[in-house]
Amino acid sequence: MFCYSTKNLYGRFSVECRWIASQHMATASKSSFKKTKPRYPTGNFGLDKKERRTLRKRLLEGKNDTVKKHVFKKLYPWQSKKDLALHLKNSEVYNDGGLITLCKPYGIPQVGHYEAPKEESRTIVQTLASGGVPDNVPSINRTIPILKELYNVDHLEVVKSTERWSSGLILLSTDPNVTEKVKKCFRSSQALQQPPLTYWAVTCGMPRPVAVAKRVPFGLEHVPNTGHMPVIKKEYAKGDIKSGKVKLAVVEHVTKVFSKESDMSLVEVNVHITKNHFLRVWLAYSYSPILGDHLYGGRVKTVAGKKVLVGEQNLTSYVPQTLPDDTFLRLNLPDKAVEMIPCHLHLSKIKLSRFEKNKSDLVITAPPPDHFMWTCRQLGLMAADEEGEQDIAEESSR
């Protein structure tokens, strides 16, 4: 039996959190979102907006066979910003020299998120992105005044945080000089092409290849009537890099555990760029979208038993991911209840290069949330034994 204490967990592999993609859509940057209103397909590509709202409401109210005490329904227990601030304070994993590190829960934004005007129709992805999150869930910034009182400091600011639809480390500073020092560490890591961020993800299927370390061309691609979508570039010119249209992102991933029975993997990914959902796009490009990623999970389809990539120009790539019935059974969910599954992505480690006084690296880690661990157990990803490693070797040789 696997012991999932923090020490043993990090000694073997890693894991992470939560669900519905991103409120800012797949249009990557806020500027591009404002310029172009994305419009995602409806009709024959899945449930229409009204049906999805009804389904989401049914799921959240615990009706029609939904387990009322399901772990996915315990993601937002806070009734006020003070409750959230206290939770963040209790999640502290590091506090020294003006640098405070907490563990951000899934679905909590750093700042407020985009709300479509009442007269503006919502797309399927927008509906999914907002589904399951109570209206009173505050942002990190709204808890800062309370955290300042709890820590008894005059200055407190967020230096680095994982995105809303993931869980994990968040760095705060009580001193502007410390803020600049941390940012300098990140700039140094990027210049040296040493990824400072380590994520854990539960993925659908096994990445191809199983392990990789490379520089990946990444940018935005214009899709008619949709907007600018983040993609892995297959072709690009040198001028595109100079102009900033294409970035070479350093990425390393390794499959820690693979379950042949559930066809799910536990993957560790090291990156230095997270903007425009790079990590999620990369894992989808690797034939293994993140479980609960309803923005990019549709880029991988199963045809005649084989997984194929669907390009961003194909409208079916914007349909929320489909999962086998066995997955819902293992997760104790109603059939096709994809809206309830959080995006299982967790920022587990941050390395600040030469941050310490003796010029050594500062490495900060955070354990994954309970629902992430529960999912791993349900999907057979906790048995990190020789048999699991053998499954990976066999699959990678095919």
Side-chain angles (χ1 to χ4, degrees), residues 14 42 58 70 99 122 168 193 207 240 243 290 343 366 383-384 388:
S14 316
T42 56
R58 171 176 68 82
H70 198 284
L99 179 63
R122 298 172 64 85
Q193 297 185 9
D240 293 335
S243 65
I290 299 173
C343 184

Side-chain angles (χ1 to χ4, degrees), residues 67-281:
V67 180
K68 293 183 179 180
K69 295 184 179 180
H70 198 284
V71 65
F72 292 164
K73 289 190 173 184
K74 301 177 182 178
L75 299 175
Y76 307 98
W78 315 285
Q79 299 300 316
S80 66
K81 58 183 179 182
K82 183 177 181 180
D83 290 342
L84 176 58
L86 290 171
H87 173 87
L88 290 170
K89 177 69 165 55
N90 292 333
S91 72
E92 178 185 294
V93 294
Y94 182 86
N95 186 355
D96 186 46
L99 179 63
I100 300 173
T101 307
L102 310 177
C103 194
K104 186 190 79 66
Y106 172 87
I108 303 299
Q110 181 178 335
V111 296
H113 55 279
Y114 172 80
E115 290 289 349
K118 293 183 178 180
E119 65 275 9
E120 181 180 326
S121 60
R122 298 172 64 85
T123 65
I124 282 182
V125 177
Q126 283 176 315
T127 301
L128 288 171
S130 61
V133 183
D135 295 334
N136 62 345
V137 171
S139 64
I140 295 295
N141 282 2
R142 290 186 61 192
T143 66
I144 292 297
I146 301 175
L147 287 171
K148 287 171 64 176
E149 294 180 4
L150 294 175
Y151 280 105
N152 192 26
V153 294
D154 296 327
H155 178 82
L156 188 65
E157 62 178 315
V158 177
V159 183
K160 183 70 175 180
S161 176
T162 186
E163 68 166 323
R164 177 175 188 175
W165 304 113
S166 63
S167 63
L169 295 168
I170 174 173
L171 303 181
L172 298 98
S173 169
T174 62
D175 184 343
N177 293 326
V178 174
T179 300
E180 181 54 36
K181 185 177 180 180
V182 171
K183 291 181 178 180
K184 183 178 180 180
C185 291
F186 284 119
R187 290 195 297 267
S188 176
S189 294
Q190 185 167 353
L192 296 173
Q193 297 185 9
Q194 298 175 347
L197 307 176
T198 298
Y199 281 84
W200 291 349
V202 175
T203 66
C204 302
M206 181 184 294
R208 302 182 194 171
V210 173
V212 71
K214 62 188 302 184
R215 297 171 69 191
V216 179
F218 181 69
L220 300 179
E221 188 77 22
H222 178 70
V223 179
N225 300 318
T226 300
H228 290 84
M229 312 302 293
V231 296
I232 305 300
K233 295 282 190 176
K234 295 182 179 180
E235 297 180 357
Y236 64 95
K238 293 182 178 179
D240 293 335
I241 297 179
K242 293 182 179 180
S243 65
K245 293 182 179 180
V246 174
K247 293 184 179 297
L248 293 179
V250 178
V251 61
E252 304 168 355
H253 78 237
V254 58
T255 305
K256 290 299 192 181
V257 182
F258 172 70
S259 171
K260 186 180 298 184
E261 290 73 19
S262 65
D263 191 30
M264 295 285 176
S265 298
L266 182 63
V267 182
E268 181 178 279
V269 190
N270 297 317
V271 294
H272 76 273
I273 290 179
T274 58
K275 185 178 180 181
N276 297 343
H277 307 154
F278 167 73
L279 193 152
R280 287 195 279 167
V281 173

